Amino acid sequence: MKKIIFLAFFFLFNISLAHAGAGGHAGHGGGGSGGGASCIKARLGKFTPDHLETAAPESEFSFRAFNVQHPDEIEVTIKNQPIDVTFEDKEAFILVKGKLPEAYKNTTVRINIKVNSKISKCDAEGGWLLKVTE
């Protein structure tokens, strides 16, 4: 009798494991739908020049992007205009560099950053303000 109970328990346990494994990597965040997928959200930091500092047109700005898989996921805009940027992979983060456009003088601009992940709930946005001189 004990053998039958053990076999029944063993059989039910294996069925539950097989069912859990069929659901997309058994809770490890796989699957492309984004419904049950997990992620580490991108983090943006170390903005240079600092928030609300004064900068000249065509001066360089930079920031660090953490937890980004590919540089092509990063989009940088100023006043809804795409900005050309360069990327340096520093292993722990991606260093992103760009230049303020010459057209913006005597104004305040926001450098907008958007990280478009393959999983939409992992997308990130950020940015900072700069006062542009003449």
Side-chain angles (χ1 to χ4, degrees):
M1 182 69 173
K2 288 182 182 181
K3 189 174 184 179
I4 293 173
I5 293 174
F6 174 75
L7 289 175
F9 177 77
F10 183 76
F11 179 74
L12 289 173
F13 181 73
N14 281 336
I15 288 176
S16 66
L17 282 180
H19 180 69
H25 296 284
H28 291 287
S33 67
S38 63
C39 66
I40 300 174
K41 196 165 191 156
R43 187 172 52 87
L44 307 167
K46 191 81 172 168
F47 303 115
T48 304
D50 284 332
H51 179 65
L52 290 177
E53 277 195 9
T54 302
E58 297 190 72
S59 62
E60 189 174 89
F61 64 86
S62 66
F63 63 92
R64 294 178 181 180
F66 300 88
N67 304 323
V68 175
Q69 297 299 315
H70 302 285
D72 61 344
E73 295 176 350
I74 301 171
E75 176 185 324
V76 180
T77 59
I78 296 177
K79 297 195 182 219
N80 294 323
Q81 298 299 314
I83 303 298
D84 290 331
V85 291
T86 61
F87 306 100
E88 292 180 34
D89 189 352
K90 300 288 188 178
E91 291 188 37
F93 60 89
I94 295 174
L95 179 62
V96 182
K97 293 181 181 180
K99 286 191 175 189
L100 293 172
E102 181 183 5
Y104 300 121
K105 296 178 181 175
N106 292 325
T107 188
T108 301
V109 298
R110 176 176 166 82
I111 300 173
N112 284 314
I113 308 158
K114 189 170 185 180
V115 179
N116 298 306
S117 176
K118 290 180 181 178
I119 303 169
S120 63
K121 74 176 186 173
C122 303
D123 290 352
E125 291 188 41
W128 76 107
L129 295 173
L130 293 177
K131 299 174 192 173
V132 183
T133 63
E134 191 169 335

